[in-house]
Amino acid sequence: MTTLPATALADIAKQLTSGGRGILAADESITTMSSRLEQEGVPASATTRRDYRELLLTADGLSATISGIILCDETFGQDLADGRPFPVAARELGILPGIKVDTGTTPLPGQNGALITEGLDRLGARLASYADRGAAFGKWRAVFDVHTITPYAARANGQALARYAALCHQHGIVPIVEPEVLCTGDHDLAGSANATALALSSLFEALIDAGVDLTGIVLKPNFVTPGLDAAPVAPTEVAAATFAVLRDQVPAEVAGIAFLSGGHPTADVCEFLSALTAIDERPWPVTFSFGRALVSSALHTWGGAPAEVTAAQQVLLENCHTASHATDQAQ
Ligand code: 5MM
């Protein structure tokens, strides 16, 4: 078992979330990635999924704005065209490799469609193998909908996240804990705030009960926003609502917070982050761990054409640069 002292885990968590850098979420499951490739006219296969992730990772100078990359199991075990395994290449490029270890969601019986994230079976053995192959951090995502979240679903997912986080620490891996409240729908800001508060309070109760050292974790939450089908509010309102929930629910010891983008446009999430960064009383560093907001336009530019690789990498780098500028570069 790879054990690391608590200070080393805290250092890695800080490294992931500070210095104006963020975490690139490139861990789409095979199903999601295949459908995103096909939407862009790229036939989905292990090879095209690998080529696309290689395009992302090898964008020249990516490490200036990206501290870590989250991979799924398939990519973690693949090699770049030059033969280097992805986790090895990532470290050589100055980017910490991470691994998504949950296995997806399934409905919780009797909970009106609320979901539970699975993946705890044999997780210790899987983490040991990922750590041996170079993983610095892990990721587990719980998914909530404003209209179906229940206290029981929040507790059940919080406990699963806590067991995952404790196991990560046992194996020398920094856990990213992601309780995502989806922004699909027409709910208002208060609906998102209430659901996010419930998800976070259940999560931190479980983490504390499980004895997880909060200085060695990264929280990956959603911004508190109205649903994508509701009237939008100003970024300063999003930042104020998000900060109010986080201030009440997230202990100050948490090493750092890296927001997901959740389907919001790149410009919008960068404005949300910038407005939140401007709030001085924050006890934790804040940064981004965006997926779609960083990669969607790059994937579109590439479209599977070898001649467009450099142009697609340029689009990715510009999105990362915009997101980095929205963080507090001095933190
Ligand atoms: C990249 O997508 C991740 C996993 O997707 P699957 O549903 O296919 O397993 C997802 O967890 C992602 O890391 C986060 O939601 C952040 O991505 P966005 O696009 O919301 O910033």
Side-chain angles (χ1 to χ4, degrees):
M1 190 183 304
T2 320
T3 50
L4 280 183
T7 50
L9 290 165
D11 285 349
I12 292 167
K14 285 277 175 225
Q15 196 182 326
L16 285 168
T17 53
S18 54
R21 300 199 301 165
I23 302 160
L24 173 57
D27 59 311
E28 298 88 348
S29 59
I30 290 176
T31 310
T32 304
M33 192 66 248
S34 299
S35 107
R36 290 193 181 151
L37 286 168
E38 280 161 3
Q39 275 162 22
E40 296 297 344
V42 184
S45 68
T47 305
T48 53
R49 289 189 294 271
R50 190 211 60 169
D51 290 349
Y52 166 64
R53 265 62 176 259
E54 175 163 351
L55 175 163
L56 299 177
L57 179 62
T58 59
D60 192 21
L62 188 68
S63 65
T65 52
I66 293 296
S67 55
I69 182 168
I70 316 174
L71 304 171
C72 67
D73 178 73
E74 180 184 61
T75 317
F76 200 88
Q78 287 178 320
D79 296 340
L80 271 60
D82 65 13
R84 287 178 298 168
F86 267 82
V88 171
R91 282 189 185 267
E92 287 178 3
L93 290 163
I95 294 171
L96 291 173
I99 178 75
K100 183 251 295 291
V101 297
D102 69 70
T103 56
T105 58
T106 191
L108 267 171
Q111 294 292 306
N112 280 329
L115 302 172
I116 181 77
T117 298
E118 298 185 314
L120 289 169
D121 288 355
R122 295 192 59 260
L123 181 56
R126 289 163 54 217
L127 287 168
S129 164
Y130 290 131
D132 281 349
R133 290 184 285 151
F137 66 97
K139 193 202 86 173
W140 179 291
R141 171 175 171 247
V143 184
F144 302 101
D145 183 284
V146 167
H147 301 289
T148 59
I149 188 169
T150 62
Y152 175 74
R155 262 198 318 279
N157 277 289
Q159 285 172 4
L161 277 158
R163 283 181 63 190
Y164 141 81
L167 275 168
C168 280
H169 280 176
Q170 202 172 40
H171 291 279
I173 287 180
V174 168
I176 295 184
V177 293
E178 180 180 6
E180 175 175 8
V181 175
L182 298 173
C183 60
T184 41
D186 61 358
H187 53 271
D188 60 10
L189 194 63
S192 172
N194 292 338
T196 305
L198 176 58
L200 288 173
S201 66
S202 305
L203 169 62
F204 282 98
E205 192 179 321
L207 286 167
I208 290 163
D209 281 353
V212 173
D213 177 0
L214 301 182
T215 66
I217 72 163
V218 172
L219 174 66
K220 178 165 173 171
N222 50 283
F223 288 105
V224 172
T225 68
L228 288 170
D229 298 331
V233 300
T236 47
E237 266 193 79
V238 168
T242 303
F243 179 66
V245 171
L246 296 180
R247 178 200 56 212
D248 291 349
Q249 305 299 340
V250 182
E253 310 94 271
V254 167
I257 297 180
F259 285 91
L260 61 91
S261 62
H264 290 284
T266 310
D268 290 7
V269 277
C270 290
E271 285 185 34
F272 300 159
L273 183 58
S274 178
L276 187 63
T277 299
I279 297 176
D280 290 334
E281 316 95 274
R282 276 181 300 110
W284 350 258
V286 292
T287 190
F288 58 93
S289 176
F290 300 156
R292 285 162 288 178
L294 298 179
V295 302
S296 294
S297 48
L299 172 57
H300 182 69
T301 300
W302 175 54
E308 298 302 331
V309 166
T310 306
Q313 290 176 322
Q314 202 49 45
V315 170
L316 170 70
L317 291 169
E318 280 163 20
N319 289 337
C320 293
H321 186 73
T322 307
S324 167
H325 264 261
T327 67
D328 177 358
Q329 315 243 330
Q331 72 195 352

